[in-house]
Amino acid sequence: MSVIIRKSLLELIFSGAFMKRWNDKLRPMELVEVDKQGHKMIVAWLLFLLNSRGMDVARKRALGEAIIEGGIYDYLYRLVITDIKPPVFYRIKENPEDYRTLTNWVLKELTPRISPLGDDFIRRMGEYLMHPEDKGLARRILHAAHLYASYSEFKLLKSINRMDHELQEIEQSFIDRLNAMRDLSGVAELLDEDGTVLGGFARMCGRLRFQKRWSQTPRVPETSVLGHMFIVAAFSWFFSMEVGACRARSQNNFFSGLFHDLPELLTRDIISPVKGASRDISELIHEYEILELHRVVLNPLKEGGYTDITERLEYFLGLEVGSEFKATVVLDGKITETSETDLAGRHNQDTLDPKDGPLLKVSDSLAAYIEAHTALKNGISSGQLHHALYRIQQTYKEKPVIASVQVGALLADFD
């Protein structure tokens, strides 16, 4: 069965922006599921690189694929069971029969929405969810990343919930479970946020949940840069499935989506009208972003011994070719810009480490479109939102197929 991405699947992924976390605690800000997932998958990527350093290319590629798909399965599962408190869910998991009953119900709820991804995807998801006892490396990395991201949220709540009788027990549970994961390379460094470059970087990425997109425009829901990056990553993965991308290309597309707005750690979310006010302003902003990215993120990581992390980030962000939205391959050891046609044909090979810049741009635009469309649907009237929809519609009316994705047809589903 061929994969054809539909509006309902994109909206399902976006729905995590509505799902509140820690909603029985006093919160300094709303914490939502899609932000946590973004932070989790960033940390999972760091652990993936560190724990695959000695692997051959085939094993490393298989591990990366297992981590991405496992993360997406976990997220889809969470979208359905979000109202079950963690202690209750863990009790259910202790009883295999109860857990199987719950999971069968979750799969039944999800199937109509994820059916565009094909029977193989649904089968793989069912096998993954039905075997939570699996302790393979991909699962352990995802579990460690999940605990880290959740504990990061907890620390935001800790100081203003001192009257809460559950607080000490919750924190001790995080500490015990994270300490049990210290045999994974990188976990100890992540937990030492003040004393290691890696821990500082992971914490810094988590701060992107504080940066709201469309900051001067009222919206419901108010998405953050961190959540947006996860949504774009998931869209990029699904579109990679649709266009038949090779394994390396699919993984590069997901991780490029996950980091494409990383420079906004340093500049905030600058809205398109400002960036597009003139070529000079756009180039000035880009130049400043890159300078600060090297000073604050890439150089410290490199000096801390994480050259492999910095090299991948540079590739995902398109620093060698000037933009994350350009199609690239690695030919004879050199990063080279390529065309959409070649990327879909002769360059769609794992050995060339291909990356779909134009497909990433499609995913980014569709995520922005859904943000604006959802806000308008929820009764927020705004000239900026209407203009954003019009601008994106016009862009893809002129060129309705990008990177083999039928963008025009997808946008028509929203009308």
Side-chain angles (χ1 to χ4, degrees):
M1 177 182 171
S2 61
V3 175
I4 302 174
I5 305 306
R6 304 297 296 271
K7 167 192 172 186
S8 60
L9 177 63
L10 302 183
E11 288 186 320
L12 175 65
I13 297 302
F14 181 75
S15 67
F18 289 99
M19 294 187 173
K20 307 292 192 292
R21 292 177 52 78
W22 303 93
N23 55 6
D24 59 341
K25 306 297 180 194
L26 181 61
R27 304 182 297 286
M29 58 176 286
E30 288 295 0
L31 299 171
V32 295
E33 187 64 37
V34 76
D35 294 354
K36 180 271 177 95
Q37 295 295 329
H39 201 194
K40 168 186 170 179
M41 293 310 289
I42 286 171
V43 172
W45 176 76
L46 293 171
L47 295 176
F48 160 53
L49 285 193
L50 296 177
N51 286 275
S52 63
R53 279 176 167 172
M55 291 183 182
D56 59 59
V57 174
R59 282 182 64 212
K60 185 169 183 173
R61 201 163 284 139
L63 178 62
E65 187 174 83
I67 288 170
I68 292 170
E69 284 217 325
I72 289 172
Y73 300 151
D74 288 338
Y75 175 58
L76 292 171
Y77 195 91
R78 174 58 57 186
L79 291 179
V80 180
I81 66 159
T82 186
D83 290 330
I84 302 177
K85 282 190 69 167
V88 177
F89 177 63
Y90 296 144
R91 290 291 296 274
I92 292 172
K93 283 184 80 172
E94 289 171 4
N95 185 314
E97 189 174 336
D98 289 343
Y99 175 77
R100 199 175 303 113
T101 300
L102 176 65
T103 302
N104 277 324
W105 174 76
V106 170
L107 289 168
K108 187 177 178 181
E109 291 291 305
L110 285 172
T111 296
R113 305 287 289 276
I114 65 174
S115 58
L117 297 173
D119 295 338
D120 280 348
F121 181 90
I122 295 171
R123 176 187 53 77
R124 293 195 304 273
M125 181 173 173
E127 289 175 355
Y128 175 91
L129 294 176
M130 284 297 186
H131 296 94
E133 74 284 354
D134 173 27
K135 301 300 181 188
L137 182 56
R139 288 251 196 185
R140 297 197 72 227
I141 285 173
L142 285 168
H143 186 56
H146 154 71
L147 291 172
Y148 176 88
S150 295
Y151 190 33
S152 296
E153 291 178 326
F154 172 83
K155 286 185 281 190
L156 295 174
L157 309 174
K158 182 179 174 182
S159 64
I160 57 174
N161 282 276
R162 296 197 181 278
M163 77 298 288
D164 194 317
H165 69 283
E166 292 183 316
L167 211 66
Q168 189 172 350
E169 185 180 338
I170 292 171
E171 181 162 34
Q172 194 58 51
S173 174
F174 277 128
I175 292 169
D176 291 345
R177 287 181 292 162
L178 281 164
N179 281 333
M181 309 295 286
R182 282 179 178 264
D183 60 304
L184 285 175
S185 296
V187 169
E189 291 88 341
L190 286 171
L191 295 178
D192 185 6
E193 294 179 332
D194 296 320
T196 67
V197 173
L198 192 73
F201 174 64
R203 181 177 60 183
M204 194 186 305
C205 289
R207 293 210 314 258
L208 284 167
R209 65 164 45 86
F210 304 143
Q211 293 194 28
K212 297 300 179 187
R213 285 171 53 77
W214 313 72
S215 58
Q216 304 304 315
T217 306
R219 288 179 304 117
V220 176
E222 284 192 333
T223 48
S224 74
V225 172
L226 183 59
H228 170 78
M229 293 196 308
F230 175 76
I231 290 167
V232 172
F235 286 5
S236 297
W237 181 257
F238 295 144
F239 286 128
S240 296
M241 292 174 63
E242 183 178 56
V243 303
C246 66
R247 296 175 84 178
R249 182 175 156 206
S250 297
Q251 289 180 40
N252 287 339
N253 292 345
F254 179 87
F255 291 125
S256 295
L258 195 60
F259 287 105
H260 77 284
D261 278 340
L262 185 65
E264 291 182 13
L265 271 171
L266 315 162
T267 61
R268 300 185 184 173
D269 179 45
I270 302 172
I271 60 175
S272 296
V274 173
K275 288 181 179 177
S278 78
R279 185 185 180 95
D280 288 344
I281 290 176
S282 179
E283 289 177 355
L284 179 65
I285 291 169
H286 183 69
E287 183 182 335
Y288 177 79
E289 283 180 341
I290 301 309
L291 282 172
E292 286 296 282
L293 187 67
H294 279 283
R295 184 180 72 84
V296 179
V297 176
L298 299 177
N299 291 344
L301 281 169
K302 196 173 292 184
E303 291 161 8
Y306 300 106
T307 305
D308 50 348
I309 290 175
T310 58
E311 286 177 351
R312 292 316 288 168
L313 286 174
E314 288 171 356
Y315 187 56
F316 296 152
L317 294 170
L319 299 192
E320 185 79 16
V321 294
S323 171
E324 69 273 35
F325 297 132
K326 291 182 178 179
T328 54
V329 291
V330 179
L331 292 172
D332 300 321
K334 180 176 173 56
I335 297 169
T336 306
E337 191 176 345
T338 186
S339 67
E340 289 180 35
T341 303
D342 283 344
L343 200 61
R346 65 193 183 102
H347 287 162
N348 188 31
Q349 301 178 41
D350 289 337
T351 53
L352 299 179
D353 200 24
K355 181 173 73 74
D356 263 300
L359 186 145
L360 175 63
K361 181 61 177 175
V362 165
S363 300
D364 188 36
S365 297
L366 282 169
Y369 191 91
I370 291 175
E371 287 172 339
H373 185 272
T374 304
L376 289 166
K377 191 169 68 174
N378 287 329
I380 307 294
S381 182
S382 163
Q384 277 198 351
L385 296 176
H386 282 291
H387 179 70
L389 293 188
Y390 175 77
R391 179 169 45 81
I392 294 170
Q393 286 166 345
Q394 291 303 115
T395 298
Y396 294 108
K397 188 175 288 184
E398 294 171 10
K399 194 174 180 185
V401 180
I402 304 285
S404 302
V405 176
Q406 300 282 342
V407 195
L410 260 175
L411 290 177
D413 286 344
F414 286 89
D415 292 344

